[in-house]
Amino acid sequence: MHGRTRWLDPPLLFFLTWLVACGTALQSGRYADEKLGGDSDASGNAGIPAAPTDGSERELESSFEAPVATGRYLWVANPLSGRVAYIDAASLAVSTVAAGNGPTHVAAIGNEDATIVINVRSNDATLLRLTATGITTKTYPLAPGMNHWSISKDGRYAIAWTDAKKVPLAQKTQGFQEITVVDLATDIATVLSVGYRPTQITFDAAAAQAFAMTADGISVIALATPAVIRNVRLADDLATAAKATDVSVNAAGTHAIVRFEGTDIVTVVRLADGTKTPLLLGTPVTDLDLLPAGDEAIAVMRESSSLALISVSDAPAPQSIALASQKMGSVTTAADAAIALLYTNASAVEEVSILSLGPPATARPARVYSRVLGAFATQDGAHAVVLHEPPASDGTGAFSLLPLAADLPAKIVATNAAPLFVALTADSSRALVVTADVGKKRQAAYLARMPALSTQAIELGSKPLAAGIVEGARRAFVAQSHPAGRVTFIHLDSGETRTLTGFELGARIATGGQP
Amino acid sequence: MSRAIVLCLLLAACGSSETRYAPATLESFGLTRSIALIDRNEHEVILLEAAPEQRLASKTIAVGKNISRALMSADARFLFVLSAGDSPRRKASDERPSLTVIDGETLAIVLRYELPILRDKLVLDPRGRYVALFAGDSTSAVVDNPNEIVLLDLAAEPSDANPLVHTLRSFGGRPQRFTFTDPLELPGGTRRLLVAETEKDVAILDLERMAGSKGEITVRLDLPSANASLAPNGLIADDGEAGRDDDARLAVRIKGDSAVLVLDLVANAAGDLTARTNLVDVGGEPSEISFVTTDGGRRMVALVPAMKHAALVTLATTAVQTMPLPAAYDRLAFVEEASQPTPRSALLWGQGVALWSLDLATGRPFASVESLALPGKIKEVRDLPGAPNQKLLIGDQNSFFVLDLRDRTVAPLLTQSNALQYYLPRDVRRLWAFQPAQARAARVNLDTLQAKSLVFDRNVHAMYELTYIDGDREGRALIALHGEGTVGATVLDPAIADEADARVYFGLMIGGVK
């Protein structure tokens, strides 16, 4: 899986909604590889799904939407007022700009201070670009019902699509097959149709093609035209195809790799003509992740305590690696380093395995002192944040800071509530873990410093909704539930915190000769 | 000793056909060395001074025509009289609106300002430097701009810019309330602010930058997206830590809402003062908000009597710590101690009274409140002269109490009625209690708590003590004003409090004292 923003809790907002910046959120900080999500359980701990009874790994889906950070700004959409607020994270100055009717889903564009927002009631998108002279806007028509963005790395293409998981009570007859490709260089928006219910849209490194992962396979989109040029099935029989999961496309956009739930099959598919190379790995594959370089994938087989490195190409040549440690079912990788973390959240295992991809690939176990829920490696691969399952009854939680590069023990940090969000800085020196117990109204953020592994706890005023890093302002942010909007900024070096509540109010202050 | 009765002489106004004094309601003020009586009919203020042997002296001071309002300064030395002037003005000598400032010690006018526009509400700066005038709820003018205010700087000479007429930036509201802050360390230097609350916004005026509009910040509280508006309902200011110019703030209560608006006073990108908003939910509509220094640092505290809790807010994160209280307290007052730079405890009252130790407020909140079981509700708390550890608690159950904070004793004193008024003279350990429109009163010695009842010939409107100089000694006199008819007074020695030794005066409003 690509590194993406992953949150635990569905938002319960009154009139502010927060948007995930698919993929581009990485610009503001690296988020969890593992997906965290779910519904509230009886104790009020939102977001952590109950342990499955069949022993399968928990896939924690991204169900959350976060404010978008660009440079030193945080962007927040207000669907009711039709305005988008942008907050200078350093000075906390708030400005607003008018978007369309019902601006809701925001995504960052490229490396500039620019975002694009879906206006859900007017079925269009507004591009907002902040320059030295002010802010400019442009509007593009969209197909109706769009609720998600995928943005090419060069910032030229923005594809709006509908994630069925965000549509409550969606009928089976709703295929959500329309997408809108917005070419920001030519200002042309084109509506296309892809397969049934896309779950992900990615781009090749050259931004020449986009790939929509759907129930019908992969819809290949030529962006220059734009047009859907072919559909690539992932399996020849429909029954196997229905089990397809963890689909990834390599960086070159030539091949895709997929596993099929409950089977030992991993298939590499050539996208040009659909040629399939199935690989039988012996025991069911429990996780499949594309490595950051984009040309290799790692498959994990929990039952056999082994994994396989597979080239996503015409010659997959899987390389098998046996693990000496306990059964690991999930994997997460570091962006810049040849390091992967293996763990399992399907059983009460207090261990992770640190895999150095080499070559040769070697693994060593690392002890942690509580059941693992998820793990997130820093960009440089030197450390990881390991989230733990909350203890049964008292609502508290814990996380560990684990050195990966050095063979040093993990440090466990007890928290006042279950961890919900993790955000990591691009320089790998800081991590933010946000916890919340909705029932007991306890919520806090923990700022961790690496390599010292020291932590600072910051109590929060209300239920956290999202967290991230505003790299340009050297601050972490935690967005919280409040009718008028609330975000806490935490300085990454000094630990100083400032909270802003009431974006509409803050943007309506008149000073001097201004109205 | 027979009672000496002095008949005051009628003011000679030979040939005058003017109707003499017929007051509707007596308005009086106890200044530091005199008592001021407002005579609206004659456009005058009558000042009464005490003299030896229970005598009174009076002086009449003419103020502007058509007195609309009078207020006493916080230190009780000065009386501010606002006059509407002549209307209509037919000749050059007809008066314009004016403000007259009378010194209650020298019994003389110290300042008089002619005002460019008529305003009938008056706000005095607690530090005595400024006066703000603004429009009342109705106007007699054909057209009036209620956002035009008048600001006087009493420290500056009258000029074209003093008084200053300023029009508040408005988004549909009109000013309801004004607050002068203490000096605040702000970006650009230490200075004071005047804060105006309208029905839907808060305007912050930099008193040193009133020229033009540069010094005005308007925080709009209307929310178009919610088709609603937040109405400010009183505010306090806090300077934050000494030496920092980025942590001064205002806290504004919102009418009918559990949110408190906190305005951080910071510099914008251009270095000018601006406000950064934060809404803090304190769990219920607060009856009072304040800033306190606790064991956990500086906090904003909000008393929420409906929830029987106090909300302690960490200002940087707006995290709220709720502290349950044993009763529904709706007021708070700090207990000042000379040896402490900041108060270490506070008195809470409402349904009962409690002492709150601020040193335990965040670390051990459950142990920080010591309640005192008293019957009924405490309506008011006052300081007692000469004893910073004592407080007067006025209850609603025919009683009041003297609370000693050091001993934690509460001495009840029973009263005839719940409608008593209390007068505490400065610098003397006495209390006077009386019921308006009745002829009975009482004196309480605050050292011994002995009470002595008094009966006058006429109903008591107000009671005051005045000092006088008698040779090389200073004496004191109690003056009980009788507000009926032409206004009278009974003067006696407050230390002895013997009616038989009193002098009675009549007709104070129609001739003064001869």
Side-chain angles (χ1 to χ4, degrees):
Chain A
M1 290 175 282
H2 293 285
R4 298 182 63 172
T5 306
R6 294 290 183 262
W7 310 118
L8 283 175
D9 185 36
L12 297 175
L13 296 173
F14 178 61
F15 67 80
L16 278 184
T17 61
W18 306 85
L19 256 290
V20 66
C22 301
T24 57
L26 289 171
Q27 296 172 13
S28 61
R30 189 159 180 282
Y31 301 141
D33 267 344
E34 275 306 309
K35 294 171 288 188
L36 304 171
D39 303 319
S40 297
D41 62 15
S43 69
N45 290 318
I48 302 177
T53 54
D54 61 356
S56 61
E57 296 289 320
R58 265 170 288 170
E59 286 289 1
L60 309 171
E61 295 299 322
S62 172
S63 59
F64 202 82
E65 299 164 328
V68 167
T70 67
R72 68 166 208 246
Y73 291 90
L74 198 65
W75 302 75
V76 182
N78 184 341
L80 283 186
S81 70
R83 303 185 75 84
V84 174
Y86 50 101
I87 306 165
D88 183 326
S91 68
L92 298 196
V94 181
S95 306
T96 62
V97 59
N101 191 356
T104 307
H105 310 285
V106 187
I109 300 289
N111 290 320
E112 49 181 319
D113 282 323
T115 58
I116 190 164
V117 59
I118 297 173
N119 304 303
V120 298
R121 283 196 278 275
S122 50
N123 292 323
D124 54 27
T126 305
L127 173 69
L128 308 164
R129 188 171 265 123
L130 193 60
T131 66
T133 53
I135 192 156
T136 62
T137 63
K138 273 185 200 172
T139 303
Y140 305 93
L142 299 179
M146 308 283 100
N147 64 14
H148 208 94
W149 284 112
S150 292
I151 312 290
S152 63
K153 202 169 272 190
D154 63 357
R156 173 165 177 178
Y157 296 99
I159 300 180
W161 53 283
T162 307
D163 183 351
K165 291 190 296 295
K166 296 180 188 175
V167 181
L169 303 175
Q171 301 294 314
K172 192 174 177 183
T173 50
Q174 291 175 278
F176 303 116
Q177 295 178 255
E178 284 192 331
I179 67 172
T180 309
V181 179
V182 182
D183 185 335
L184 297 173
T186 62
D187 288 338
I188 295 174
T190 308
V191 177
L192 303 173
S193 294
V194 297
Y196 184 83
R197 294 201 177 177
T199 57
Q200 190 186 159
I201 294 182
T202 61
F203 298 81
D204 62 14
Q209 292 184 323
F211 309 96
M213 285 42 150
T214 76
D216 293 313
I218 299 175
S219 298
V220 181
I221 303 154
L223 291 169
T225 321
V228 178
I229 54 176
R230 75 180 71 84
N231 186 67
V232 179
R233 294 188 193 282
L234 299 175
D236 291 328
D237 66 286
L238 296 180
T240 304
K243 297 177 187 173
T245 187
D246 287 346
V247 183
S248 298
V249 174
N250 66 0
T254 58
H255 294 76
I257 189 167
V258 56
R259 71 175 176 95
F260 299 91
E261 187 66 42
T263 75
D264 66 342
I265 306 169
V266 169
T267 298
V268 178
V269 182
R270 187 163 61 203
L271 294 175
D273 57 11
T275 303
K276 300 176 190 48
T277 307
L279 307 169
L280 301 177
L281 300 181
T283 51
V285 179
T286 50
D287 200 6
L288 179 69
D289 232 10
L290 194 71
L291 293 180
D295 55 3
E296 219 172 5
I298 183 168
V300 184
M301 287 74 70
R302 189 176 73 232
E303 275 189 31
S304 59
S305 292
S306 64
L307 50 86
L309 288 174
I310 304 167
S311 172
V312 186
S313 65
D314 285 335
Q319 174 194 346
S320 195
I321 303 167
L323 299 172
S325 55
Q326 300 184 56
K327 293 179 179 178
M328 301 291 157
S330 298
V331 64
T332 184
T333 56
D336 294 345
I339 293 265
L341 268 180
L342 297 131
Y343 62 94
T344 183
N345 56 22
S347 53
V349 172
E350 295 184 356
E351 185 180 319
V352 298
S353 193
I354 302 168
L355 176 72
S356 171
L357 295 169
T362 57
R364 64 178 170 87
R367 174 80 195 272
V368 290
Y369 289 87
S370 190
R371 178 173 175 164
V372 177
L373 173 64
F376 313 94
T378 57
Q379 193 142 327
D380 63 2
H383 297 86
V385 176
V386 179
L387 299 189
H388 298 297
E389 286 276 7
S393 58
D394 65 357
T396 58
F399 64 92
S400 292
L401 300 172
L402 174 64
L404 301 180
D407 190 1
L408 294 170
K411 175 183 173 180
I412 191 165
V413 179
T415 59
N416 65 348
L420 287 189
F421 308 120
V422 175
L424 303 164
T425 59
D427 67 1
S428 305
S429 68
R430 303 285 189 271
L432 188 77
V433 179
V434 180
T435 65
D437 182 333
V438 177
K440 294 191 174 81
K441 293 189 179 178
R442 293 191 299 223
Q443 47 270 327
Y446 296 80
L447 179 66
R449 294 176 171 84
M450 277 77 73
L453 307 187
S454 62
T455 56
Q456 173 191 345
I458 300 127
E459 197 179 330
L460 298 173
S462 49
K463 176 189 165 190
L465 301 174
I469 309 291
V470 187
E471 296 280 357
R474 196 77 188 135
R475 281 168 172 81
F477 71 86
V478 183
Q480 296 151 66
S481 174
H482 191 281
R486 168 175 286 160
V487 65
T488 294
F489 291 96
I490 305 163
H491 198 287
L492 296 172
D493 298 320
S494 67
E496 185 195 20
T497 57
R498 303 292 283 195
T499 297
L500 186 64
T501 305
F503 305 133
E504 288 272 290
L505 297 180
R508 291 164 65 77
I509 292 175
T511 58
Q514 300 168 0
Chain B
M1 182 182 290
S2 63
R3 192 163 133 188
I5 299 173
V6 175
L7 293 175
C8 88
L9 300 174
L10 292 174
L11 180 68
C14 298
S16 168
S17 60
E18 287 183 274
T19 303
R20 299 311 295 174
Y21 183 79
T25 308
L26 175 63
E27 194 175 355
S28 64
F29 297 89
L31 304 174
T32 45
R33 283 195 177 274
S34 58
I35 297 168
L37 306 178
I38 306 298
D39 187 346
R40 281 185 162 79
N41 285 1
E42 297 298 318
H43 321 292
E44 292 171 345
V45 173
I46 297 168
L47 295 172
L48 303 175
E49 271 188 300
E53 297 178 1
Q54 286 78 260
R55 288 196 300 272
L56 277 183
S58 77
K59 181 176 181 181
T60 300
I61 294 182
V63 293
K65 291 236 184 103
N66 296 310
I67 297 171
S68 63
R69 200 170 294 266
L71 274 183
M72 187 172 68
S73 61
D75 62 1
R77 174 159 175 181
F78 298 98
L79 184 71
F80 294 77
V81 183
L82 181 63
S83 302
D86 287 312
S87 181
R89 292 184 66 247
R90 294 280 183 244
K91 48 189 186 299
S93 59
D94 285 342
E95 290 184 13
R96 296 182 189 279
S98 64
L99 181 73
T100 307
V101 185
I102 298 171
D103 186 337
E105 287 202 9
T106 62
L107 280 67
I109 293 175
V110 291
L111 287 167
R112 180 163 175 157
Y113 295 91
E114 192 173 86
L115 302 174
I117 56 174
L118 174 62
R119 286 290 172 255
D120 54 7
K121 283 196 173 176
L122 187 65
V123 177
L124 300 181
D125 172 13
R127 287 181 167 242
R129 176 165 173 184
Y130 296 101
V131 177
L133 304 164
F134 62 106
D137 297 329
S138 59
T139 181
S140 58
V142 175
V143 176
D144 191 19
N145 181 354
N147 286 292
E148 267 193 301
I149 65 170
V150 179
L151 184 67
L152 289 113
D153 182 354
L154 303 178
E157 291 294 322
S159 68
D160 288 344
N162 187 33
L164 174 72
V165 178
H166 177 82
T167 302
L168 293 172
R169 183 190 293 121
S170 177
F171 296 93
R174 51 182 296 173
Q176 305 293 310
R177 195 165 27 250
F178 283 83
T179 304
F180 287 94
T181 72
D182 284 341
L184 303 173
E185 285 183 271
L186 300 171
T190 299
R191 51 198 189 280
R192 301 182 65 196
L193 303 175
L194 174 64
V195 187
E197 298 168 54
T198 74
E199 305 96 320
K200 56 175 70 175
D201 47 52
V202 173
I204 303 169
L205 298 155
D206 188 334
L207 285 168
E208 291 189 17
R209 299 181 184 183
M210 289 295 297
S213 299
K214 280 200 75 67
E216 184 170 345
I217 301 164
T218 309
V219 181
R220 298 177 64 178
L221 301 181
D222 53 323
L223 303 171
S225 58
N227 199 27
S229 184
L230 304 177
N233 193 28
L235 65 90
I236 55 168
D238 182 57
D239 196 22
E241 289 178 30
R244 284 185 66 167
D245 66 355
D246 62 347
D247 64 347
R249 48 179 59 90
L250 306 175
V252 185
R253 285 189 297 149
I254 305 296
K255 190 180 290 186
D257 203 283
S258 58
V260 174
L261 175 68
V262 178
L263 301 173
D264 295 337
L265 302 170
V266 295
N268 60 15
D272 296 325
L273 184 68
T274 186
R276 193 167 57 212
T277 59
N278 252 317
L279 286 173
V280 182
D281 192 316
V282 296
E285 187 175 3
S287 58
E288 181 151 2
I289 52 176
S290 189
F291 289 93
V292 298
T293 300
T294 70
D295 50 331
R298 196 91 176 133
R299 298 284 189 273
M300 184 185 76
V301 62
L303 291 182
V304 185
M307 305 301 292
K308 287 192 193 173
H309 76 227
L312 288 162
V313 181
T314 304
L315 294 158
T317 63
T318 67
V320 179
Q321 178 184 0
T322 300
M323 188 178 82
L325 297 172
Y329 306 122
D330 52 27
R331 285 289 176 265
L332 171 153
F334 294 111
V335 178
E336 304 283 349
E337 295 171 72
S339 59
Q340 300 296 330
T342 58
R344 293 175 61 188
S345 57
L347 197 65
L348 306 172
W349 73 92
Q351 284 301 130
V353 172
L355 195 64
W356 184 22
S357 297
L358 299 174
D359 290 347
L360 301 174
T362 60
R364 299 181 68 209
F366 54 88
S368 65
V369 177
E370 178 185 348
S371 62
L372 305 166
L374 297 175
K377 184 177 161 71
I378 300 299
K379 300 185 296 186
E380 189 181 348
V381 170
R382 291 201 207 169
D383 294 332
L384 289 176
N389 291 321
Q390 284 188 332
K391 301 288 180 191
L392 174 70
L393 313 177
I394 300 170
D396 67 349
Q397 303 277 307
N398 288 17
S399 58
F400 64 91
F401 308 86
V402 176
L403 167 66
D404 189 312
L405 294 166
R406 200 159 29 199
D407 302 336
R408 301 289 203 265
T409 57
V410 183
L413 287 101
L414 302 179
T415 64
Q416 180 189 34
S417 142
N418 281 329
L420 293 190
Q421 291 196 10
Y422 300 88
Y423 170 67
L424 290 158
R426 290 180 189 79
D427 304 324
V428 66
R429 298 278 294 158
R430 263 194 299 269
L431 172 151
W432 297 92
F434 63 95
Q435 181 154 356
Q438 292 208 5
R440 301 178 67 175
R443 182 198 68 182
V444 177
N445 182 315
L446 293 173
D447 289 324
T448 61
L449 297 183
Q450 289 176 344
K452 178 173 181 174
S453 290
L454 297 164
V455 180
F456 299 101
D457 287 339
R458 304 168 82 184
N459 293 340
V460 178
H461 159 81
M463 299 181 84
Y464 300 103
E465 276 196 29
L466 293 179
T467 58
Y468 59 85
I469 302 299
D470 182 15
D472 58 354
R473 70 179 187 94
E474 187 178 87
R476 294 185 78 97
L478 173 78
I479 296 97
L481 287 180
H482 312 297
E484 295 137 340
T486 56
V487 181
T490 300
V491 185
L492 50 76
D493 185 328
I496 301 170
D498 184 359
E499 301 98 313
D501 196 32
R503 286 177 186 262
V504 180
Y505 297 84
F506 301 97
L508 295 178
M509 300 297 281
I510 59 171
V513 176
K514 301 290 183 189

